[in-house]
Amino acid sequence: MKQIASERLPYSSAEFNVGGHTLRYLDEGTGDQVILCVHGNPTWSFYWRKIVEQFSNRFRVITVDHIGCGRSDKPAAGDFGYTLADHRDNLIALIDHLDLQNVTLLAHDWGGAIGLSSLVARRDRFNRIMLLNTAAFPPPYLPRRIAACRIPVVGPAAVQGLNAFAKAAITMAMDRNRMDPDVAAGLLAPYDSWKNRVAINAFVQDIPMNRSHPTYQTLADLEAALPSLADLPSLLVWGMKDWCFRPECLRRFQSVWPSATSVEIADAGHYVIEDAPDETLQAIESFLANSTDA
């Protein structure tokens, strides 16, 4: 199989069959310490390429592509659920399949909820948490730019038909810098058709704005479990100009994890590792060097 964006992400993906679909992931480096990277919407493993480059000489770095994303299969909505619980269950299955131990979770955007809910289910396999601009609780607000993508008929036509969500993120998710065209091309590469953008639209529709939405309870249960993770060494790196996962999301994590290390980057946006790579990578480097069992 030709690997998507192989010229920009020159690593071969491994394969894992889950529910009849092929989930692909990068597995680079060796050692008994694992960094498990979990992306959000509308990114994929490409978002974590700097982590692979910098840390795979000392850690085993695994970056997963959720079903519907990146190099993984992209089944139609009727053939896969595309809910938070579905992505969580796939990640748990991969963790079990690889028998991962001594795992540090590194997550961004929807990856926070997916990764943390998997961690709660497999608590004994994890020893650290690193989060970048994410959430793990029912959303306290819905930004207008995302609300527009949920308008019946019109929203899906724009998100899945015109790729408006992913294309907008190339500019709207950064504040300090303008994204390099080659990086933008890499992020967009897997999402080149209506069929291949099914997960992008599904993630948008899976945002629960009322208690009747099936994902609301999944997030409420996760939020209730967050205090039980307070003993894990945790790093919170935040682009403070993020209009989606705003600073109040950071404050909610800080309130339940008072010992967490926080790095606030005042002029960076949502794609913090793209907008402020030096500060983000240095924060991760320092945290891994100083935290327990590093």
Side-chain angles (χ1 to χ4, degrees):
M1 183 197 82
K2 184 180 183 300
Q3 304 281 0
I4 293 170
S6 59
E7 70 282 4
R8 299 182 179 94
L9 190 69
Y11 309 99
S12 295
S13 294
E15 297 185 353
F16 172 58
N17 185 281
V18 58
H21 307 297
T22 300
L23 183 150
R24 296 186 171 88
Y25 60 97
L26 302 184
D27 191 346
E28 298 292 325
T30 58
D32 60 359
Q33 296 282 333
V34 177
I35 301 176
L36 176 62
C37 304
V38 189
H39 72 82
N41 188 38
T43 58
W44 60 292
S45 285
F46 184 82
Y47 186 77
W48 302 116
R49 67 196 183 283
K50 292 184 175 71
I51 300 297
V52 178
E53 292 166 5
Q54 182 158 329
F55 295 100
S56 60
N57 63 333
R58 290 163 285 160
F59 295 84
R60 182 182 179 188
V61 180
I62 297 173
T63 74
V64 63
D65 286 338
H66 306 302
I67 293 296
C69 302
R71 294 171 174 171
S72 290
D73 284 358
K74 300 174 179 64
D79 297 326
F80 179 68
Y82 287 108
T83 66
L84 168 58
D86 291 313
H87 293 301
R88 173 203 64 202
D89 291 348
N90 286 348
L91 184 58
I92 291 171
L94 180 65
I95 291 168
D96 290 347
H97 171 71
L98 297 176
D99 192 24
L100 299 182
Q101 306 287 341
N102 301 316
V103 181
T104 298
L105 173 68
L106 174 56
H108 173 250
D109 191 272
W110 271 99
I114 297 168
L116 286 169
S117 56
S118 300
L119 187 159
V120 169
R122 296 293 184 269
R123 174 68 176 78
D124 60 320
R125 295 179 179 269
F126 288 81
N127 56 19
R128 283 181 298 239
I129 299 169
M130 304 189 295
L131 301 181
L132 317 178
N133 289 75
T134 186
F137 29 77
Y141 53 82
L142 184 65
R144 287 187 216 175
R145 301 177 221 193
I146 294 180
C149 296
R150 289 162 58 97
I151 299 172
V153 181
V154 176
V159 172
Q160 198 166 347
L162 301 176
N163 205 19
F165 192 85
K167 288 181 178 178
I170 297 306
T171 56
M172 292 183 181
M174 294 180 63
D175 199 83
R176 176 193 292 182
N177 295 303
R178 183 185 299 271
M179 184 175 286
D180 182 280
D182 197 55
V183 173
L187 286 170
L188 294 174
Y191 308 117
D192 58 355
S193 68
W194 174 283
K195 174 183 178 294
N196 288 342
R197 294 191 281 268
V198 58
I200 295 178
N201 182 58
F203 270 118
V204 172
Q205 300 301 322
D206 198 41
I207 301 170
M209 295 313 300
N210 57 66
R211 293 178 180 273
S212 65
H213 192 293
T215 291
Y216 187 96
Q217 192 59 49
T218 307
L219 283 169
D221 291 344
L222 175 57
E223 181 177 26
L226 291 180
S228 70
L229 307 180
D231 61 317
L232 283 173
S234 300
L235 172 68
L236 306 169
V237 180
W238 231 259
M240 302 300 280
K241 290 292 184 71
D242 188 348
W243 53 267
C244 184
F245 295 89
R246 301 189 308 225
E248 51 258 54
C249 293
L250 168 63
R251 304 301 175 223
R252 291 182 75 161
F253 281 113
Q254 291 172 326
S255 70
V256 292
W257 299 341
S259 298
T261 299
S262 297
V263 176
E264 301 179 15
I265 306 176
D267 60 346
H270 178 61
Y271 283 177
V272 63
I273 201 169
E274 301 290 352
D275 212 8
D278 293 343
E279 294 99 315
T280 303
L281 292 170
Q282 183 54 55
I284 292 171
E285 185 79 62
S286 297
F287 175 75
L288 291 174
N290 297 327
S291 57
T292 306
D293 299 326

